[in-house]
Amino acid sequence: MLLLLLPPLLLWLLLVVPFTGPLGFWKNLGIQGPVGWPFFGNMMQFALGKKSYGEVYEGIYKEYPHLKYVGFYRLFNEPALLIRDQDLIRQILVGNHFANCSDNAVYVDPSRDTLASCNPFIACGDKWRLYRSDLVPLFTPSRLRQIVVAVNDSCQKLRLFLQNRSQFEAKELATRYTLQVVASGVFGLDSKCLESGEASARNPWLHWLLPLFQPSSWSLVETMALLHSPLLGKVLNYRYVPLSLQNWLQDLVLASSDGASLLHWLKEGKRTLPQSELTGHATTLLLEGYETSAMLLAFALYELACHEDIQDDLLRELDESGGAGLMGELRYTEAVLLETLRLHPAMQALQKRCTKSFELPAQMKDQGHCRPLEVREGTVLIIPVRAIHFDPELYPAPHQFQPQRFLAQSAQSMGCRFLGFGAGSRMCPGMRLGLLQTKAAVATLLKDQRVILADETQRKLEISPLTFLTSAKKGVWLRLVNRTGKC
């Protein structure tokens, strides 16, 4: 009998024990939090593709309302901290603790992902600050005024593209539009993404970029590699930017125009950039410029279709403005976009890695006998964006779409209650361009039309649990009708 039990016992020792040891880490330090499973930690529902990582973090956030932070376990039983307290979040993102955990915990191997490693969001150490300083001057008001030409031209193409279309998938349409803007604004090229027929079928921009961040059979394991495990990424030979796309982008930079484009202004910047970094920055401007704005536009149209009264207010503002003033006006339209980002943030959590140990105060809000916690180097700290945006103490009726939340104050003045663009020194440098091109598209599409759901079954939108950027599981199908209600 003992001989029969020996093989499964050895298998258990080899496979399970190495992944259970860390599960006592927080308990040994006197830190409260959920009990983890072997191997999966507290991410079982995420690993099985049943909940997004943001939903898992939201569940932990809600379970411990009395704590400033929670000790839990990520995949492979990695001890991590989920930060709940607004003051601590502020300290980590913009305050005294920022220098101790300024790196974002995403796993991109520079040897495989040469171009992605130049992204200020991905770069670590001293490099992120250097790369960000290259990009920030591109988004001044004077530079954006020059990009308005590309935005307006793309809006006209968008109107023509939608003629005689009874319905459309909002994310695909939005991606075509933002690719058109970014190709012109960044590279000085016409991507022809808003053309139909054979030209569309052969279009390399659409071939490479339309499916890049969409749910696929590999999305979940790629998200795990990106957010949880460099070892898994190595085993999979995972690349944030696929190698074939990297090669295409390198050729694209060489073919770009020297006109009034972001790439041209990069070449004229204070720092002389090696070709690899120039191509890396162009990749950042392309990928960050088209995908998150397309996502925002698609979800904003969806929310407007679901809330006719809010759409009425937005249409009234568009009519009164006469379509002008996209740079600084259309405050209600912008509030609609910000509220959309609150409900549908591009990234459902921010992950920070401690690079130098520091001390957090006692875990309990009522400190009592609790002691401060020394956060060790290498520890991942989770800022649960989705959970914060849905916290009823921060946003009354948090699941309701209420753009008026952003009329009384700007997104920046809301501090770390709103993290649609991040916060502090590592917040999105292209925020203004993203809002500009999205606002212009909304104004164009709804100039003399309304947006409605293509099918009432779309009213309850399912979010994919597989992708690291927020994505609709089955698309967002909409229709445009004229103001009298006819197609």
Side-chain angles (χ1 to χ4, degrees):
M1 179 64 71
L2 183 60
L3 291 176
L4 291 174
L5 291 174
L6 192 57
L9 180 61
L10 289 173
L11 185 63
W12 182 80
L13 289 170
L14 287 172
L15 296 182
V16 178
V17 170
F19 296 105
T20 55
L23 290 176
F25 181 83
W26 294 122
K27 184 178 180 180
N28 293 338
L29 292 176
I31 298 298
Q32 295 185 48
V35 176
W37 289 87
F39 189 81
F40 297 105
N42 299 115
M43 308 295 293
M44 174 80 80
Q45 295 288 82
F46 165 68
L48 296 177
K50 294 184 176 181
K51 289 185 177 181
S52 69
Y53 65 94
E55 290 174 306
V56 172
Y57 295 149
E58 184 183 7
I60 297 172
Y61 183 97
K62 288 180 176 179
E63 190 177 349
Y64 296 89
H66 59 294
L67 299 181
K68 293 182 178 181
Y69 51 88
V70 184
F72 77 107
Y73 301 93
R74 302 206 308 154
L75 283 183
F76 315 115
N77 295 348
E78 179 188 8
L81 291 168
L82 185 138
I83 311 299
R84 295 191 75 266
D85 181 75
Q86 275 287 302
D87 184 58
L88 289 183
I89 291 171
R90 190 160 40 250
Q91 289 296 321
I92 289 168
L93 294 181
V94 301
N96 294 335
H97 297 323
F98 174 74
N100 302 102
C101 44
S102 59
D103 284 355
N104 290 321
V106 288
Y107 301 105
V108 171
D109 187 336
S111 65
R112 293 193 302 269
D113 253 313
T114 307
L115 302 184
S117 63
C118 294
N119 187 325
F121 181 82
I122 292 171
C124 296
D126 296 328
K127 289 186 176 180
W128 74 263
R129 199 181 298 273
L130 175 67
Y131 294 154
R132 195 174 191 279
S133 68
D134 293 331
L135 299 180
V136 167
L138 303 180
F139 301 106
T140 62
S142 61
R143 294 296 195 198
L144 289 181
R145 277 191 285 272
Q146 297 179 64
I147 297 297
V148 167
V149 175
V151 173
N152 287 336
D153 181 65
S154 299
C155 285
Q156 295 309 310
K157 289 181 168 65
L158 179 63
R159 285 180 64 86
L160 293 173
F161 182 79
L162 274 178
Q163 287 181 350
N164 303 319
R165 277 179 164 78
S166 60
Q167 66 179 33
F168 57 92
E169 201 287 301
K171 179 54 168 47
E172 179 187 357
L173 177 72
T175 300
R176 286 174 175 269
Y177 164 74
T178 54
L179 281 175
Q180 185 73 34
V181 173
V182 172
S184 177
V186 174
F187 298 94
L189 301 172
D190 182 0
S191 67
K192 303 185 185 301
C193 286
L194 289 167
E195 295 183 4
S196 305
E198 292 185 13
S200 179
R202 298 193 306 268
N203 190 315
W205 293 80
L206 299 177
H207 171 75
W208 291 117
L209 300 167
L210 199 61
L212 185 60
F213 295 104
Q214 298 311 297
S216 70
S217 56
W218 283 99
S219 293
L220 180 58
V221 70
E222 289 175 345
T223 301
M224 290 180 185
L226 181 68
L227 301 181
H228 288 266
S229 174
L231 178 59
L232 179 60
K234 186 175 182 179
V235 170
L236 296 173
N237 199 31
Y238 167 71
R239 290 181 172 89
Y240 182 78
V241 181
L243 184 58
S244 52
L245 177 55
Q246 291 188 50
N247 294 333
W248 180 73
L249 286 168
Q250 288 169 346
D251 294 338
L252 195 65
V253 170
L254 294 175
S256 65
S257 165
D258 281 335
S261 66
L262 298 184
L263 193 58
H264 175 66
W265 296 328
L266 259 178
K267 295 176 183 177
E268 292 185 333
K270 294 181 180 179
R271 192 166 72 93
T272 302
L273 298 174
Q275 186 64 34
S276 60
E277 290 186 16
L278 180 66
T279 307
H281 283 331
T283 302
T284 298
L285 293 168
L286 171 60
L287 299 187
E288 302 291 339
Y290 92 89
E291 176 60 21
T292 53
S293 293
M295 186 188 314
L296 172 58
L297 177 56
F299 284 129
L301 293 174
Y302 162 76
E303 293 292 350
L304 289 170
C306 291
H307 300 87
E308 292 186 15
D309 56 334
I310 293 173
Q311 187 172 176
D312 287 339
D313 291 338
L314 182 142
L315 295 177
R316 191 175 302 113
E317 179 181 68
L318 294 181
D319 291 344
E320 291 173 354
S321 73
L326 293 178
M327 288 295 292
E329 298 177 14
L330 299 179
R331 290 188 64 247
Y332 189 78
T333 304
E334 184 164 311
V336 166
L337 299 183
L338 295 175
E339 177 70 349
T340 299
L341 267 180
R342 185 186 68 81
L343 289 177
H344 309 282
M347 287 202 70
Q348 298 179 36
L350 300 176
Q351 303 190 156
K352 313 299 292 185
R353 183 172 296 283
C354 175
T355 54
K356 182 180 179 182
S357 63
F358 67 100
E359 192 175 89
L360 287 176
Q363 186 184 26
M364 300 284 289
K365 292 181 179 180
D366 180 13
Q367 294 190 11
H369 65 280
C370 296
R371 295 177 299 174
L373 171 69
E374 181 184 357
V375 181
R376 301 179 185 179
E377 184 177 337
T379 302
V380 171
L381 300 95
I382 300 297
I383 312 297
V385 175
R386 176 189 167 96
I388 292 166
H389 285 186
F390 288 167
D391 187 337
E393 292 190 7
L394 302 176
Y395 295 97
H399 293 276
Q400 293 182 15
F401 187 64
Q402 298 179 359
Q404 60 268 28
R405 301 180 204 269
F406 292 92
L407 286 176
Q409 54 187 327
S410 66
Q412 292 89 334
S413 67
M414 298 184 77
C416 295
R417 288 187 297 142
F418 177 74
L419 295 170
F421 298 102
S425 299
R426 299 202 70 162
M427 73 182 298
C428 175
M431 176 184 70
R432 290 192 186 94
L433 177 57
L435 288 174
L436 169 66
Q437 65 176 337
T438 310
K439 195 190 303 183
V442 171
T444 297
L445 293 172
L446 302 184
K447 181 179 181 182
D448 48 24
Q449 300 175 104
R450 297 184 66 90
V451 61
I452 63 173
L453 297 172
D455 187 330
E456 277 299 312
T457 60
Q458 282 271 302
R459 190 166 292 275
K460 184 171 175 56
L461 199 65
E462 290 186 74
I463 299 300
S464 172
L466 309 179
T467 54
F468 80 96
L469 291 179
T470 304
S471 178
K473 190 174 183 179
K474 299 178 181 178
V476 183
W477 290 92
L478 303 172
R479 297 170 61 203
L480 288 173
V481 298
N482 64 34
R483 297 286 183 91
T484 63
K486 297 179 181 179
C487 295

